[in-house]
Amino acid sequence: MMPIMPPTRLSPQELINELQSSGVRLVDPRAGVESRRGGAGPSDHKAMTIDGQTVMVPVHTAPAFDSPYLVEAPDAFGRSRVRRGDVVLGEVEFPGRPRFYDLKTDDGVPYSQIAVLHGRDVLATTVLQTCIRYQSRTKTCQFCSIGQSLSAGRTIARKTPEQLGEVAKAAVELDGVTHMVMTTGTPPGKDRGAKILAESVAGVKARVDLPVQVQCEPPDDFAWLQRMKDAGADALGMHLEAVTPEVRRKIMPGKAEVSVDTYFAAFEAAVPIFGRGQVSTYILAGLGDSVDEILSVSRRLVDIGVYPFVVPFVPISGTPLESHPTPSPQFMHAILRPLAGMLVDAGLKSVDVKAGCAKCGACSALSTYEKAEGGCGSRLAAE
């Protein structure tokens, strides 16, 4: 056997971009928290910690099966190395299986069917596992797999506020969870899920003091934004996914009926309620929007105090886009580096977000670019 060569220096953001674009092959597929194929995202991934940042890396996608990157079997402490051929590129750690996964509700529902661990310390749930757009080929978002988790029996259709509060309390006490992401499929009605989310976040806050981000489409009546805040929501996500009308109509024809202008009106209404940086949007790079188009929309968002969380698109098994290519590391670098500069200059830092995807940061290298731009502020001082 040829000896392994000494590590080749890659910056954390370079390594994360490479792994999220190409995926990895695992010597030990059982390493870390169990991963799942298909279903509500992030799916087909495995959580790994690189330079202190926990990231979601594709392991079950087509690119991952042929990836040039290999992650060795971890040692007893969950530590491993990532290689390309005989060259060691860096070290990774695998977060352990959460203890709350071993529990069930009084009526026998496993806690893991109510909420799951994302990244290292984030509790995530899809409150309503159905969507008005999902069953229609002419309306469904082509990247969405919300129905797969339900049909596979990995979750339940509707989580009650009581169940969510019970699981959240256990996750905090047993596993040190520090914040929660609460999303929903879009139900019928003009509130677009805001009512369910308000009830759900109140259920969590009644049991445990845990920061919560709620995620939904913009409601027709923006008064729902204040109602979610009053119920206990600390942060809000309203996700564009794609930024240009042409790509939105092609990739998500139903959701595109809610225009970009409507989203911006909702963002402008939400920022005074939740605060600068506590409103965010999720943008999937690689669906057809150009670097300049994503950066232009991101500039508009940053200017009004919204955090644009840009992530590389990763196809999910069983969706119409399962064979769609992932964006290259160079494409992501061309977006994330200037975007991080915008965020740092505007004082919108992921470390200051109270809860949600931007705070977790596991689906993108963006937070590591912020650090490189000098945007980690008081956290670096504390270290």
Side-chain angles (χ1 to χ4, degrees):
M1 177 181 293
M2 294 178 61
I4 296 174
M5 296 172 62
T8 296
R9 188 67 180 171
L10 281 183
S11 70
Q13 56 267 38
E14 288 173 326
L15 182 56
I16 293 170
N17 278 341
E18 289 285 342
L19 299 186
Q20 290 190 325
S21 290
S22 300
V24 299
R25 294 174 290 122
L26 299 175
V27 170
D28 182 4
R30 299 168 299 176
V33 182
E34 59 263 35
S35 57
R36 51 197 169 92
R37 298 173 187 261
S43 293
D44 296 351
H45 288 64
K46 179 81 73 169
M48 304 176 193
T49 301
I50 300 172
D51 194 44
Q53 172 65 43
T54 299
V55 298
M56 301 303 291
V57 179
V59 295
H60 296 309
T61 61
F65 296 145
D66 296 321
S67 174
Y69 300 103
L70 180 74
V71 175
E72 298 174 346
D75 63 19
F77 301 98
R79 297 175 303 202
S80 182
R81 299 184 301 180
V82 57
R83 304 184 317 187
R84 181 168 183 150
D86 293 319
V87 178
V88 175
L89 299 175
E91 295 185 352
V92 300
E93 296 181 16
F94 290 92
R97 185 178 188 274
R99 288 183 286 177
F100 79 86
Y101 276 20
D102 296 327
L103 303 179
K104 295 182 178 180
T105 63
D106 289 340
D107 53 352
V109 180
Y111 277 15
S112 61
Q113 293 189 8
I114 295 168
V116 297
L117 186 72
H118 279 199
R120 179 174 49 189
D121 60 356
V122 188
L123 187 67
T125 186
T126 303
V127 176
L128 183 67
Q129 202 78 32
T130 58
C131 179
I132 55 171
R133 312 192 197 286
Y134 187 72
Q135 298 301 328
S136 171
R137 290 188 178 183
T138 62
K139 292 184 178 294
T140 187
C141 299
Q142 294 184 38
F143 50 74
C144 183
S145 56
I146 189 173
Q148 291 184 22
S149 299
L150 186 60
S151 61
R154 295 194 295 257
T155 189
I156 58 176
R158 173 74 162 88
K159 290 82 172 177
T160 68
E162 293 76 21
Q163 289 172 328
L164 293 166
E166 180 181 344
V167 174
K169 185 173 186 293
V172 169
E173 294 176 350
L174 296 177
D175 297 289
V177 159
T178 61
H179 60 111
M180 184 173 186
V181 176
M182 189 178 289
T183 189
T184 181
T186 302
K190 295 183 177 182
D191 66 277
R192 296 200 174 97
K195 182 176 186 295
I196 290 173
L197 290 170
E199 295 168 352
S200 299
V201 74
V204 169
K205 294 289 186 167
R207 297 291 297 272
V208 63
D209 183 16
L210 180 66
V212 178
Q213 183 198 46
V214 292
Q215 301 177 351
C216 62
E217 296 181 36
D220 275 7
D221 183 355
F222 291 167
W224 278 108
L225 304 175
Q226 185 66 55
R227 291 169 190 154
M228 289 189 287
K229 174 68 173 176
D230 292 344
D234 300 278
L236 172 67
M238 294 184 290
H239 296 166
L240 284 166
E241 270 96 22
V243 301
T244 57
E246 298 79 14
V247 176
R248 288 171 59 80
R249 284 194 298 267
K250 178 181 178 181
I251 299 296
M252 35 200 273
K255 190 172 180 179
E257 294 172 0
V258 184
S259 69
V260 173
D261 287 344
T262 299
Y263 270 84
F264 269 90
F267 292 142
E268 290 175 347
V271 169
I273 295 171
F274 287 89
R276 283 178 51 83
Q278 305 308 322
V279 179
S280 63
T281 192
Y282 207 89
I283 296 173
L284 296 167
L287 290 178
D289 296 320
S290 70
V291 169
D292 288 342
E293 287 166 340
I294 291 174
L295 288 175
S296 176
V297 170
S298 295
R299 167 54 68 192
R300 288 182 62 195
L301 291 162
V302 169
D303 285 347
I304 61 176
V306 174
Y307 189 105
F309 187 51
V310 179
V311 309
F313 169 72
V314 176
I316 296 177
S317 304
T319 66
L321 292 184
E322 66 178 358
S323 298
H324 190 87
T326 56
S328 71
Q330 295 75 22
F331 186 84
M332 294 309 303
H333 178 76
I335 296 170
L336 297 182
R337 185 177 182 182
L339 175 56
M342 288 184 207
L343 292 167
V344 171
D345 289 345
L348 299 179
K349 298 176 292 186
S350 57
V351 70
D352 295 327
V353 179
K354 295 177 181 178
C357 293
K359 182 176 182 64
C360 170
C363 292
S364 173
L366 181 55
S367 64
T368 63
Y369 279 89
E370 283 184 38
K371 293 178 186 178
E373 291 289 326
C376 43
S378 58
R379 181 169 63 177
L380 274 187
E383 292 174 350

PDB file of all heavy atoms in Angstrom, residues 69-87:
ATOM      1  N   TYR A  69     -13.580  12.195  -3.568  1.00  0.00           N
ATOM      2  CA  TYR A  69     -13.273  12.407  -2.160  1.00  0.00           C
ATOM      3  C   TYR A  69     -13.749  11.218  -1.325  1.00  0.00           C
ATOM      4  O   TYR A  69     -14.878  10.751  -1.466  1.00  0.00           O
ATOM      5  CB  TYR A  69     -13.927  13.694  -1.659  1.00  0.00           C
ATOM      6  CG  TYR A  69     -13.451  14.897  -2.432  1.00  0.00           C
ATOM      7  CD1 TYR A  69     -14.250  15.490  -3.407  1.00  0.00           C
ATOM      8  CD2 TYR A  69     -12.179  15.422  -2.220  1.00  0.00           C
ATOM      9  CE1 TYR A  69     -13.803  16.575  -4.136  1.00  0.00           C
ATOM     10  CE2 TYR A  69     -11.723  16.508  -2.942  1.00  0.00           C
ATOM     11  CZ  TYR A  69     -12.536  17.079  -3.900  1.00  0.00           C
ATOM     12  OH  TYR A  69     -12.082  18.144  -4.629  1.00  0.00           O
ATOM     13  N   LEU A  70     -12.875  10.761  -0.461  1.00  0.00           N
ATOM     14  CA  LEU A  70     -13.152   9.612   0.403  1.00  0.00           C
ATOM     15  C   LEU A  70     -12.955  10.020   1.851  1.00  0.00           C
ATOM     16  O   LEU A  70     -11.926  10.627   2.195  1.00  0.00           O
ATOM     17  CB  LEU A  70     -12.204   8.458   0.054  1.00  0.00           C
ATOM     18  CG  LEU A  70     -12.362   7.176   0.877  1.00  0.00           C
ATOM     19  CD1 LEU A  70     -13.625   6.436   0.450  1.00  0.00           C
ATOM     20  CD2 LEU A  70     -11.137   6.277   0.712  1.00  0.00           C
ATOM     21  N   VAL A  71     -13.917   9.689   2.701  1.00  0.00           N
ATOM     22  CA  VAL A  71     -13.802   9.947   4.132  1.00  0.00           C
ATOM     23  C   VAL A  71     -13.521   8.628   4.834  1.00  0.00           C
ATOM     24  O   VAL A  71     -14.280   7.662   4.695  1.00  0.00           O
ATOM     25  CB  VAL A  71     -15.072  10.607   4.695  1.00  0.00           C
ATOM     26  CG1 VAL A  71     -14.968  10.753   6.209  1.00  0.00           C
ATOM     27  CG2 VAL A  71     -15.282  11.980   4.064  1.00  0.00           C
ATOM     28  N   GLU A  72     -12.423   8.594   5.543  1.00  0.00           N
ATOM     29  CA  GLU A  72     -12.008   7.373   6.233  1.00  0.00           C
ATOM     30  C   GLU A  72     -12.976   7.040   7.366  1.00  0.00           C
ATOM     31  O   GLU A  72     -13.751   7.888   7.832  1.00  0.00           O
ATOM     32  CB  GLU A  72     -10.598   7.552   6.795  1.00  0.00           C
ATOM     33  CG  GLU A  72      -9.533   7.808   5.739  1.00  0.00           C
ATOM     34  CD  GLU A  72      -8.186   8.122   6.350  1.00  0.00           C
ATOM     35  OE1 GLU A  72      -8.132   8.394   7.576  1.00  0.00           O
ATOM     36  OE2 GLU A  72      -7.191   8.103   5.611  1.00  0.00           O
ATOM     37  N   ALA A  73     -12.909   5.808   7.827  1.00  0.00           N
ATOM     38  CA  ALA A  73     -13.703   5.409   8.987  1.00  0.00           C
ATOM     39  C   ALA A  73     -13.247   6.205  10.206  1.00  0.00           C
ATOM     40  O   ALA A  73     -12.051   6.391  10.426  1.00  0.00           O
ATOM     41  CB  ALA A  73     -13.541   3.915   9.247  1.00  0.00           C
ATOM     42  N   PRO A  74     -14.174   6.710  10.996  1.00  0.00           N
ATOM     43  CA  PRO A  74     -13.785   7.535  12.142  1.00  0.00           C
ATOM     44  C   PRO A  74     -13.216   6.702  13.286  1.00  0.00           C
ATOM     45  O   PRO A  74     -13.488   5.506  13.399  1.00  0.00           O
ATOM     46  CB  PRO A  74     -15.102   8.199  12.545  1.00  0.00           C
ATOM     47  CG  PRO A  74     -16.155   7.237  12.095  1.00  0.00           C
ATOM     48  CD  PRO A  74     -15.633   6.607  10.838  1.00  0.00           C
ATOM     49  N   ASP A  75     -12.438   7.373  14.144  1.00  0.00           N
ATOM     50  CA  ASP A  75     -11.937   6.701  15.341  1.00  0.00           C
ATOM     51  C   ASP A  75     -13.009   6.706  16.424  1.00  0.00           C
ATOM     52  O   ASP A  75     -14.167   7.090  16.176  1.00  0.00           O
ATOM     53  CB  ASP A  75     -10.641   7.361  15.827  1.00  0.00           C
ATOM     54  CG  ASP A  75     -10.821   8.822  16.244  1.00  0.00           C
ATOM     55  OD1 ASP A  75     -11.966   9.256  16.505  1.00  0.00           O
ATOM     56  OD2 ASP A  75      -9.804   9.550  16.305  1.00  0.00           O
ATOM     57  N   ALA A  76     -12.648   6.299  17.618  1.00  0.00           N
ATOM     58  CA  ALA A  76     -13.628   6.173  18.701  1.00  0.00           C
ATOM     59  C   ALA A  76     -14.226   7.515  19.107  1.00  0.00           C
ATOM     60  O   ALA A  76     -15.286   7.557  19.746  1.00  0.00           O
ATOM     61  CB  ALA A  76     -12.968   5.516  19.914  1.00  0.00           C
ATOM     62  N   PHE A  77     -13.583   8.625  18.733  1.00  0.00           N
ATOM     63  CA  PHE A  77     -14.070   9.951  19.085  1.00  0.00           C
ATOM     64  C   PHE A  77     -14.817  10.621  17.926  1.00  0.00           C
ATOM     65  O   PHE A  77     -15.160  11.802  17.996  1.00  0.00           O
ATOM     66  CB  PHE A  77     -12.899  10.841  19.528  1.00  0.00           C
ATOM     67  CG  PHE A  77     -12.146  10.306  20.710  1.00  0.00           C
ATOM     68  CD1 PHE A  77     -10.967   9.592  20.518  1.00  0.00           C
ATOM     69  CD2 PHE A  77     -12.628  10.474  21.999  1.00  0.00           C
ATOM     70  CE1 PHE A  77     -10.268   9.084  21.603  1.00  0.00           C
ATOM     71  CE2 PHE A  77     -11.939   9.967  23.087  1.00  0.00           C
ATOM     72  CZ  PHE A  77     -10.754   9.264  22.897  1.00  0.00           C
ATOM     73  N   GLY A  78     -15.046   9.852  16.843  1.00  0.00           N
ATOM     74  CA  GLY A  78     -15.764  10.386  15.692  1.00  0.00           C
ATOM     75  C   GLY A  78     -14.913  11.206  14.751  1.00  0.00           C
ATOM     76  O   GLY A  78     -15.427  11.861  13.851  1.00  0.00           O
ATOM     77  N   ARG A  79     -13.573  11.143  14.913  1.00  0.00           N
ATOM     78  CA  ARG A  79     -12.672  11.928  14.083  1.00  0.00           C
ATOM     79  C   ARG A  79     -12.195  11.121  12.878  1.00  0.00           C
ATOM     80  O   ARG A  79     -11.932   9.920  12.994  1.00  0.00           O
ATOM     81  CB  ARG A  79     -11.472  12.405  14.900  1.00  0.00           C
ATOM     82  CG  ARG A  79     -11.851  13.329  16.047  1.00  0.00           C
ATOM     83  CD  ARG A  79     -10.663  13.673  16.904  1.00  0.00           C
ATOM     84  NE  ARG A  79     -10.019  12.477  17.445  1.00  0.00           N
ATOM     85  CZ  ARG A  79      -9.239  12.470  18.528  1.00  0.00           C
ATOM     86  NH1 ARG A  79      -9.012  13.603  19.175  1.00  0.00           N
ATOM     87  NH2 ARG A  79      -8.685  11.357  18.955  1.00  0.00           N
ATOM     88  N   SER A  80     -12.066  11.809  11.755  1.00  0.00           N
ATOM     89  CA  SER A  80     -11.674  11.128  10.528  1.00  0.00           C
ATOM     90  C   SER A  80     -10.900  12.094   9.639  1.00  0.00           C
ATOM     91  O   SER A  80     -10.663  13.253  10.004  1.00  0.00           O
ATOM     92  CB  SER A  80     -12.927  10.612   9.799  1.00  0.00           C
ATOM     93  OG  SER A  80     -12.574   9.911   8.631  1.00  0.00           O
ATOM     94  N   ARG A  81     -10.490  11.586   8.468  1.00  0.00           N
ATOM     95  CA  ARG A  81      -9.794  12.420   7.489  1.00  0.00           C
ATOM     96  C   ARG A  81     -10.468  12.272   6.134  1.00  0.00           C
ATOM     97  O   ARG A  81     -11.026  11.225   5.808  1.00  0.00           O
ATOM     98  CB  ARG A  81      -8.324  12.002   7.379  1.00  0.00           C
ATOM     99  CG  ARG A  81      -7.540  12.147   8.651  1.00  0.00           C
ATOM    100  CD  ARG A  81      -6.076  11.805   8.443  1.00  0.00           C
ATOM    101  NE  ARG A  81      -5.865  10.448   7.971  1.00  0.00           N
ATOM    102  CZ  ARG A  81      -4.662   9.919   7.709  1.00  0.00           C
ATOM    103  NH1 ARG A  81      -3.577  10.674   7.851  1.00  0.00           N
ATOM    104  NH2 ARG A  81      -4.545   8.679   7.285  1.00  0.00           N
ATOM    105  N   VAL A  82     -10.399  13.343   5.353  1.00  0.00           N
ATOM    106  CA  VAL A  82     -10.925  13.303   3.995  1.00  0.00           C
ATOM    107  C   VAL A  82      -9.739  13.321   3.035  1.00  0.00           C
ATOM    108  O   VAL A  82      -8.797  14.086   3.201  1.00  0.00           O
ATOM    109  CB  VAL A  82     -11.896  14.475   3.721  1.00  0.00           C
ATOM    110  CG1 VAL A  82     -11.252  15.826   3.964  1.00  0.00           C
ATOM    111  CG2 VAL A  82     -12.441  14.395   2.298  1.00  0.00           C
ATOM    112  N   ARG A  83      -9.813  12.416   2.055  1.00  0.00           N
ATOM    113  CA  ARG A  83      -8.704  12.252   1.119  1.00  0.00           C
ATOM    114  C   ARG A  83      -9.195  12.398  -0.312  1.00  0.00           C
ATOM    115  O   ARG A  83     -10.357  12.141  -0.621  1.00  0.00           O
ATOM    116  CB  ARG A  83      -8.074  10.854   1.248  1.00  0.00           C
ATOM    117  CG  ARG A  83      -7.596  10.483   2.610  1.00  0.00           C
ATOM    118  CD  ARG A  83      -6.900   9.138   2.606  1.00  0.00           C
ATOM    119  NE  ARG A  83      -7.602   8.131   1.806  1.00  0.00           N
ATOM    120  CZ  ARG A  83      -7.265   6.845   1.768  1.00  0.00           C
ATOM    121  NH1 ARG A  83      -6.230   6.423   2.463  1.00  0.00           N
ATOM    122  NH2 ARG A  83      -7.950   5.992   1.037  1.00  0.00           N
ATOM    123  N   ARG A  84      -8.270  12.776  -1.164  1.00  0.00           N
ATOM    124  CA  ARG A  84      -8.448  12.664  -2.606  1.00  0.00           C
ATOM    125  C   ARG A  84      -7.264  11.840  -3.107  1.00  0.00           C
ATOM    126  O   ARG A  84      -6.132  12.345  -3.142  1.00  0.00           O
ATOM    127  CB  ARG A  84      -8.498  14.023  -3.290  1.00  0.00           C
ATOM    128  CG  ARG A  84      -8.711  13.912  -4.803  1.00  0.00           C
ATOM    129  CD  ARG A  84      -9.060  15.239  -5.437  1.00  0.00           C
ATOM    130  NE  ARG A  84      -9.314  15.054  -6.870  1.00  0.00           N
ATOM    131  CZ  ARG A  84     -10.134  15.795  -7.589  1.00  0.00           C
ATOM    132  NH1 ARG A  84     -10.799  16.778  -7.009  1.00  0.00           N
ATOM    133  NH2 ARG A  84     -10.294  15.563  -8.875  1.00  0.00           N
ATOM    134  N   GLY A  85      -7.525  10.588  -3.446  1.00  0.00           N
ATOM    135  CA  GLY A  85      -6.435   9.673  -3.741  1.00  0.00           C
ATOM    136  C   GLY A  85      -5.601   9.458  -2.495  1.00  0.00           C
ATOM    137  O   GLY A  85      -6.115   9.123  -1.430  1.00  0.00           O
ATOM    138  N   ASP A  86      -4.306   9.698  -2.612  1.00  0.00           N
ATOM    139  CA  ASP A  86      -3.413   9.525  -1.467  1.00  0.00           C
ATOM    140  C   ASP A  86      -3.130  10.831  -0.737  1.00  0.00           C
ATOM    141  O   ASP A  86      -2.295  10.876   0.167  1.00  0.00           O
ATOM    142  CB  ASP A  86      -2.086   8.922  -1.946  1.00  0.00           C
ATOM    143  CG  ASP A  86      -2.261   7.498  -2.458  1.00  0.00           C
ATOM    144  OD1 ASP A  86      -3.011   6.745  -1.818  1.00  0.00           O
ATOM    145  OD2 ASP A  86      -1.666   7.165  -3.505  1.00  0.00           O
ATOM    146  N   VAL A  87      -3.832  11.885  -1.127  1.00  0.00           N
ATOM    147  CA  VAL A  87      -3.597  13.195  -0.520  1.00  0.00           C
ATOM    148  C   VAL A  87      -4.654  13.472   0.539  1.00  0.00           C
ATOM    149  O   VAL A  87      -5.860  13.433   0.269  1.00  0.00           O
ATOM    150  CB  VAL A  87      -3.619  14.305  -1.591  1.00  0.00           C
ATOM    151  CG1 VAL A  87      -3.422  15.675  -0.940  1.00  0.00           C
ATOM    152  CG2 VAL A  87      -2.546  14.056  -2.639  1.00  0.00           C
TER     153      VAL A  87
END
